[in-house]
Amino acid sequence: RERGSSKGATYVRQRLASIPQHVLKLLQLAAFLGFQIDGTLLEVVYTHAGDVLVNGLEGIEHRKKRLESDDDDNNTSKTSFQQAVTWAVEDHLLTSVGDEVASFRFPHDQLRQVMYELVPNDDAEHHTRCEGPPSRSQVHYALGIFLRDFYGDSNASPYLLLATYQLNQACNHCLREQDRLPLIRMNVESSKVAQNRSAENLVWEFLKIGIDLIQESDWKSNVAYPLLLEVYNIWVEIELHRGKFDKSDALVAEIVRRAKKPDDTVNALVLQARTFSVRLQFDKAIHKSREALRILGVKLPKSNHVNGMREVLRAKRMVRGMTDDAFTHLPAMADAKMRKAIPILREVSVYGFLDDP
């Protein structure tokens, strides 16, 4: 059943002609931002990006230029926002939530749907070209660009997930090539934020879109390459968490194949060792760790009691006569390869103990 077919939705549609344009603009923007919206965010979007409903992405640029050159226009927009909010709340089209920092929500999700559907859906032309009146995807896209530019695209941004969501809603219709790699990055950062919030479904949802945006040519780009490695490393962790070990193995093998630098190969081998340790296959974990150490110039002999005793005696000879104070004043290790090898040796010692205690 169509969501807008209820009596309440029909009533709102019948009243559309009597709703002032500035109130209608407020409600439409709110519909794109969510069911419950922070009041400060809604004011910022209304004031600085309200023209997206008419001009799409161009509306942001036009509005930005006007606000930079005309303080009166800025004040007028803020006054218009307050009037629109007052009208919408008094007419029960929005409900105010909270005291000190107000937020607003729609009294019913069908009311939000009606406002959302006032913006035309993407037709065949919009799927191939970003022309004509703004479609829903174009409005999502423009709002995403605005939120990204206004609040930033790092994981410290308060609206990173919202900006990423807006852009994701449009990425199949009118994504500019110049925004593709930044959007991959935003999806990666959003997946990290979702993970920190224990929102497991969102972790994969964001990362999956980032993966889908990757093109084969990106692996040849020095700019995109580190980002792609990060995507694949997170992907491996997710597949491990899901228990899809064959998939995680295939992804690690792909990282090894794509690696441009020895350090990247080492990181991939260490990751692969961890995937084996999760499955309690410690002999394979040791083998992969040994491969990584070999690249770093560290030869790890096969385990046997003779070799073990020999290394213990050698270590004793090296530290003979040294005091605790002498140890604490040793110079910091400067060899980058050895610094990278130390944590691998620490991990492989655990694998060795668990494999043959």
Side-chain angles (χ1 to χ4, degrees):
R1 188 167 65 91
E2 186 179 350
R3 295 179 67 186
S5 61
S6 71
K7 292 182 179 180
T10 302
Y11 171 72
V12 172
R13 290 183 186 278
Q14 292 172 346
R15 288 198 52 220
L16 285 178
S18 65
I19 299 177
Q21 284 300 310
H22 65 297
V23 178
L24 202 58
K25 169 183 169 181
L26 174 78
L27 295 173
Q28 286 181 273
L29 290 171
F32 273 84
L33 294 175
F35 184 75
Q36 182 166 323
I37 314 100
D38 176 76
T40 302
L41 170 65
L42 185 56
E43 181 177 3
V44 167
V45 172
Y46 182 95
T47 303
H48 297 281
D51 290 350
V52 299
L53 296 169
V54 178
N55 298 313
L57 194 57
E58 292 182 0
I60 294 177
E61 295 301 323
H62 294 162
R63 186 69 179 158
K64 182 179 179 181
K65 291 177 181 178
R66 290 207 308 272
L67 291 175
E68 288 175 349
S69 60
D70 192 345
D71 290 337
D72 291 337
D73 194 14
N74 194 3
N75 293 330
T76 300
S77 295
K78 291 183 178 180
T79 302
S80 174
F81 171 78
Q82 294 299 334
Q83 292 173 345
V85 166
T86 301
W87 203 100
V89 171
E90 290 179 352
D91 210 45
H92 306 292
L93 296 173
L94 283 180
T95 301
S96 179
V97 181
D99 297 322
E100 295 183 4
V101 181
S103 61
F104 301 95
R105 64 178 176 83
F106 287 93
H108 198 283
D109 62 346
Q110 290 180 340
L111 173 57
R112 179 196 173 198
Q113 189 68 17
V114 169
M115 294 302 163
Y116 183 75
E117 290 176 353
L118 289 178
V119 176
N121 199 2
D122 298 271
D123 55 23
E125 181 179 359
H126 282 124
H127 276 259
T128 56
R129 297 183 299 169
C130 292
E131 298 178 357
S135 66
R136 291 174 199 168
S137 289
Q138 288 174 295
V139 173
H140 277 299
Y141 191 68
L143 287 173
I145 293 295
F146 169 75
L147 292 171
R148 182 196 71 183
D149 294 346
F150 193 90
Y151 290 104
D153 58 0
S154 72
N155 55 22
S157 168
Y159 297 110
L160 172 65
L161 269 62
L162 179 59
T164 306
Y165 167 79
Q166 296 288 345
L167 290 171
N168 286 346
Q169 291 296 105
C171 66
N172 290 330
H173 303 310
C174 52
L175 178 65
R176 300 179 301 185
E177 178 60 24
Q178 68 200 63
D179 293 322
R180 187 174 57 80
L181 287 180
L183 183 53
I184 295 175
R185 164 60 63 188
M186 289 175 68
N187 274 287
V188 170
E189 294 301 323
S190 294
S191 70
K192 293 178 184 177
V193 172
Q195 188 172 36
N196 291 336
R197 297 178 183 177
S198 299
E200 297 299 329
N201 290 337
L202 288 179
V203 173
W204 174 242
E205 185 176 316
F206 282 119
L207 190 69
K208 176 65 167 59
I209 294 176
I211 292 167
D212 291 341
L213 290 171
I214 294 174
Q215 297 178 1
E216 178 64 26
S217 59
D218 292 336
W219 287 102
K220 300 176 182 178
S221 166
N222 291 331
V223 175
Y225 174 74
L227 175 60
L228 269 55
L229 284 183
E230 185 175 7
V231 170
Y232 269 67
N233 275 276
I234 297 175
W235 194 359
V236 170
E237 297 289 349
I238 289 176
E239 298 300 353
L240 278 177
H241 184 72
R242 291 173 164 182
K244 296 183 178 180
F245 302 122
D246 289 343
K247 181 64 177 179
S248 65
D249 287 344
L251 290 171
V252 173
E254 182 71 4
I255 296 173
V256 173
R257 186 176 73 85
R258 300 279 193 176
K260 293 182 178 181
K261 298 181 291 186
D263 272 6
D264 298 332
T265 303
V266 169
N267 292 337
L269 290 170
V270 170
L271 183 59
Q272 196 165 32
R274 290 171 184 164
T275 68
F276 284 125
S277 71
V278 170
R279 287 170 274 182
L280 306 182
Q281 297 176 5
F282 298 113
D283 56 335
K284 293 182 178 180
I286 293 170
H287 175 70
K288 291 299 176 182
S289 298
R290 185 179 281 115
E291 284 187 40
L293 289 168
R294 188 180 300 116
I295 294 173
L296 295 173
V298 177
K299 184 179 180 181
L300 185 66
K302 291 186 177 181
S303 176
N304 62 60
H305 293 295
V306 174
N307 284 337
M309 288 303 299
R310 183 185 297 117
E311 291 301 316
V312 170
L313 292 173
R314 189 165 74 92
K316 283 186 174 181
R317 284 197 302 271
M318 292 177 65
V319 301
R320 185 177 297 162
M322 293 185 67
T323 64
D324 291 345
D325 188 61
F327 273 112
T328 59
H329 288 84
L330 285 172
M333 183 181 291
D335 190 321
K337 288 186 176 181
M338 292 303 102
R339 289 171 65 91
K340 195 173 186 69
I342 292 298
I344 301 175
L345 288 167
R346 188 164 53 242
E347 288 188 18
V348 79
S349 66
V350 176
Y351 302 153
F353 176 78
L354 294 173
D355 185 51
D356 185 13

